[in-house]
Structure formats: C-alpha cells, structure tokens
Amino acid sequence: MTSASVLELARDLAAAWAPRVAEHDRTATFPEADMADLRASGLLGLLVPGHLGGLGGGFEDYVAVARTLARGNAASALLFNMHASVTGALALVPDEVATALGAPPSFFETRDQILARATSGAMYGVAISERTAGSRLSALETTYTREGSGYRLAGHKSTCSGAGHLDAYLVAARDSSATDDGPPAISYFLVPGEAIGPIDQGWDPLGMRATASNGFELETWVPEDALVGVEGVALLLAEVMPEWLVGSYAAVYVGVAEAALCAAVEHVRATSVREPTTDGRPRLVGLGASPWVRQRLGRADAQVQAARLTLEEAARHVDSNRGHPDTSRWVYRAKLLAGDTAFDVAASLTEACGLGALMRGAELERLLRDARCGAVMPPSSDIAANVLGASALGVDPGDGLGARPW
Ligand SMILES: Cc1cc2nc3c(=O)[nH]c(=O)nc-3n(C[C@H](O)[C@H](O)[C@H](O)COP(=O)(O)OP(=O)(O)OC[C@H]3O[C@@H](n4cnc5c(N)ncnc54)[C@H](O)[C@@H]3O)c2cc1C
C-alpha cells in the first residue's frame, strides 16, 4: 500500500503541472518547470532504497504515483516513467539474481552511485528506439565496440523522451563483434547527457508532445563502468522481467483514461443543450440529462476501473512474484488494457461531449491525442495481445505468423 505522504506529493505535483500543460502541449517543448518541481519533490528517488537516501518504494508505489502524475500532465508523467524504469530496474532486481546473471562485484557499487545520484535530483532517460527497429531490441543497429578500458558507442536513436535535457540516458546497443549466428548480444549503457548529440529537433507528434522525444546521434566513448549490469542480457531481461519495459507505461495511460473521464464529467456538468418540445418552445436542459451521454460515461467508468484493477493486480504480482510467467502475463494484460482503454474511452467521451470537447485547447482534445500514443508504446497493443494469445495456446509468441516482442 503506497504511503499517504508519497501520494500527497504526487497530487501536489499534478496540481502544480496542470496550469502549464496546455502551453507545453501547444509548443511540444520540454516541461522544464514540471521537471524542476519533480526534482525538488524527492520523487526521483521513489524506487531507491532508504539506505541510499531514497523512498524505498516498489512497483505498486510507482504505479500509484505515475497514475496520479498523469492527471496533471501525461507527458511529464511519461518522462517520470522513463526515469523510474532506469532506477526501478536497477533497484528492484535482487542482488542474488544480478549475481546469478553474472554481474561482477563492481556492478553493485556503480548501481548504488547511479541510484544515489537520483536522490540528489539526477534524472535519467531511456534510448532504445531506432527508426527501422522501433523498440525491438534484437533489431537494433546502434553498436558498441570494446576500445581501451571502455566502449565506443555508435548509432542513431530515433525517439528519446527528454533528449538533451536529462543527466544520463540508458542506451541499448548491439555488440559489433558478434557473429551472425545466434541471438544478438544487446547491452545497456548509462551515457552521460553531455556525451549524446547532436539532438534532432523534429519532434512534432500528435500526442504526448511535451515529452520532447527527439532523436540523437551517438558517437562516443564511455568507460567500462558505463555498462549497466551484465553484457548481453538485455533480451533475456526483457522476456523474464517485463515490468519496466512493458508494464510501467500502463500506469501513465490508466492515468490518462481516468483524466479523460473526469474531464468529460466536468464538460457534461457545465454544458446545456436546447431540447425540442411539442409545444414549439424548446427548453434548456443539462447534457447530463441525456441517457445517450450518461451511458457513454457509464461504459467509460467500467472500462477505466477494469484497466485500473488489472494494473494494480499486475503491480501486486510484480512486487510479490517477480520473474514468474504469471506475473509476466499480468504485466502484458495491464499494458494492453491501459493503451486500448485510454484511447477507447477518450474517443467515446469526445463523441458524447461534442465539438466543444474537440476544439484546440480543450482538455479532452489533448487527452484524446495523448491517449492515441498508448497502444503504440512498446510493446504495441497488437504485439502484447499476440504474446497473451500465444500464451493461452501454449505456444511461443515468435512461432508462426506472430512477431517476437523484442
Ligand atoms: C510519446 C512517446 C514517447 C517515446 N519515448 C521513447 C523513449 O523515451 N525511448 C525510446 O527508446 N523510445 C521512445 N518512444 C518510441 C516508442 O518506443 C516507439 O514508438 C515504439 O518502439 C514503436 O516503434 P515505431 O513507432 O517506430 O513503430 P514500428 O516498430 O515501426 O511499428 C509499426 C507497426 O509495425 C508493426 N511491426 C513492426 N515490426 C514488426 C515485425 N517485425 N513483425 C510484426 N509487426 C511489426 C508494429 O506492431 C506496428 O503495428 C516513444 C514513443 C512515443 C509515442
């Protein structure tokens, strides 16, 4: 159960972000002031253990906080999600699992430094996606090559929330020396902010505009300790512990769905329509008197609660049964339902509310565009559903006509 004080912090942040959200959405600019609030709040250390100065939260805490933040500015919440994916993956993998995977003793010292920096306000991003690979780790073209006492990284990342604004980026790259046989060796590196670039400035998407998810060039050398964890295990981690690569987005998009329902209720309460009458004297009635509008609110309410409960069930499984196939299925269900629900609900409610909710600057119009991004974020709804369908059939999702998620 998330502590009341942590939720209070998240609510305060969401309230501070809300007045700025429309302008950042309009200009597709990085929300500097939102992120300054976030750094000052201490929530960047949400998942960092107490002995390193953090709040010691788990996945359930992350989910509750991210959902709440999304009510203020979904794009800012998505930036928080990227940071939480880095700190959470590092903090919540048990030491014995990291050791069993082959992590050297030096990893734990580096990990603790990365986590401690987060409690002092360092913010991290994630740079996996590439133009033709999307987020499919096995298809990445960015390479790493051993050079001296470190690695040379080279490639181009197409989409990275907060690119150019953050302290460091978790970059996924393939081993340039690997042969064509067998699965590619994909590793993660934490690359300092000053080592990336030049940054592309072409980010001008439909929704989640304030994430400023520009791409960047990468041609840099990093020391040995920039390698995060164990070399070559990124694909394995994505398959056995999908909570950060898959499940964390779900919290943001359940928050978007909740925000859409709230915005629609406000819109309906504030709107009246003229009702034709048989006596020729139309009368003004509240939009909430319409059963056609109310049933859309009712369906949205049921869909939002179903997505929220699935998300919370997934989070409980992650915290109590990490790495289990059942947990993985719950995480995929949560991601699928969150992305699809956010968009279904926002689309239906804008239809219920009419053109007023679709004008530029209307809250629902922005949420509809933000919600559209949920199903696209990795793994897409189609890919998540294929994983679940294959699991129901007891077959590998990569067999037959399906696509491997990673
Ligand atoms: C708001 C936002 C923020 C983002 N932030 C980040 C970030 O911080 N870091 C980051 O790394 N990425 C980020 N991304 C990128 C995101 O991860 C990608 O959008 C995602 O990986 C999918 O890539 P794509 O959009 O290029 O689609 P594609 O991968 O090109 O997919 C397009 C379609 O083709 C299908 N498809 C593609 N390949 C196959 C195949 N082999 N088999 C079957 N079907 C296939 C897909 O299912 C989909 O339907 C962000 C995206 C958004 C929208």
Side-chain angles (χ1 to χ4, degrees):
M1 169 78 78
T2 308
S3 83
S5 58
V6 165
L7 269 185
E8 197 59 41
L9 275 177
R11 278 192 210 104
D12 288 349
L13 276 183
W17 292 356
R20 301 189 283 250
V21 62
E23 184 57 12
H24 283 300
D25 172 63
R26 194 181 66 75
T27 54
T29 47
F30 183 76
E32 291 284 1
D34 291 7
M35 295 305 109
D37 290 345
L38 183 59
R39 289 175 202 263
S41 73
L43 282 176
L44 290 180
L46 175 68
L47 302 158
V48 177
H51 72 271
L52 294 173
L55 298 171
F59 197 73
E60 277 191 84
D61 301 292
Y62 160 75
V63 156
V65 166
R67 258 180 64 215
T68 307
L69 293 179
R71 304 285 293 271
N73 180 345
S76 293
L78 202 55
L79 285 158
F80 172 71
N81 154 78
M82 299 300 175
H83 170 86
S85 299
V86 178
T87 53
L90 283 173
L92 301 178
V93 173
D95 287 8
E96 52 282 12
V97 173
T99 304
L101 284 168
S106 59
F107 160 71
F108 298 99
E109 198 182 320
T110 309
R111 175 196 66 186
D112 288 356
Q113 283 166 6
I114 296 168
L115 293 173
R117 281 176 61 209
T119 67
S120 321
M123 189 166 175
Y124 307 127
V126 175
I128 295 176
S129 297
E130 295 175 9
R131 209 147 276 149
T132 51
S135 57
R136 283 173 301 283
L137 289 161
S138 57
L140 296 182
E141 287 187 299
T142 296
T143 56
Y144 67 91
T145 309
R146 278 166 212 82
E147 190 180 299
S149 58
Y151 301 90
R152 178 150 297 279
L153 300 174
H156 184 270
K157 293 296 177 183
S158 63
T159 324
C160 172
S161 296
H165 298 274
L166 306 176
D167 297 282
Y169 303 85
L170 188 79
V171 169
R174 71 159 57 224
D175 183 355
S176 69
S177 67
T179 59
D180 284 345
D181 309 334
I186 309 291
S187 303
Y188 288 120
F189 298 84
L190 195 68
V191 178
E194 55 278 13
I196 69 160
I199 313 284
D200 311 336
Q201 297 299 340
W203 179 252
D204 187 15
L206 180 75
M208 292 291 189
R209 290 167 57 77
T211 55
S213 301
N214 281 296
F216 58 81
E217 287 297 329
L218 193 63
E219 177 56 62
T220 192
W221 181 88
V222 290
E224 210 163 35
D225 65 3
L227 174 73
V228 178
V230 184
E231 195 178 336
V233 299
L235 275 166
L236 174 69
L237 283 179
E239 275 174 29
V240 297
M241 289 183 191
E243 50 268 28
W244 294 110
L245 266 184
V246 179
S248 65
Y249 302 110
V252 174
Y253 288 98
V254 168
V256 170
E258 291 173 311
L261 181 55
C262 275
V265 166
E266 272 178 37
H267 182 97
V268 169
R269 283 199 176 125
T271 307
S272 296
V273 290
R274 210 166 283 283
E275 185 189 33
T277 54
T278 46
D279 64 9
R281 288 204 304 243
R283 60 191 178 106
L284 213 52
V285 290
L287 197 54
S290 159
W292 317 120
V293 169
R294 286 200 302 241
Q295 64 87 20
R296 281 184 187 263
L297 291 174
R299 284 176 199 278
D301 172 74
Q303 284 176 281
V304 168
Q305 294 309 328
R308 179 182 65 78
L309 287 170
T310 304
L311 172 70
E312 289 175 349
E313 184 66 13
R316 272 192 292 279
H317 277 260
V318 169
D319 281 343
S320 63
N321 205 10
R322 184 167 281 115
H324 194 277
D326 268 354
T327 302
S328 190
R329 275 189 289 274
W330 276 108
V331 166
Y332 274 92
R333 285 176 193 132
K335 168 65 180 63
L336 172 61
L337 280 184
D340 285 4
T341 300
F343 187 63
D344 286 354
V345 159
S348 172
L349 293 177
T350 42
E351 195 172 337
C353 293
L355 183 59
L358 284 173
M359 298 298 278
R360 285 265 181 242
E363 192 179 0
L364 263 175
E365 184 264 350
R366 185 190 73 251
L367 288 165
L368 175 66
R369 288 184 287 104
D370 286 348
R372 181 60 284 184
C373 296
V376 171
M377 302 214 62
S380 67
S381 285
D382 288 347
I383 291 175
N386 174 52
V387 169
L388 289 166
S391 172
L393 289 167
V395 300
D396 187 297
D399 283 353
L401 300 170
R404 284 196 178 279
W406 306 111

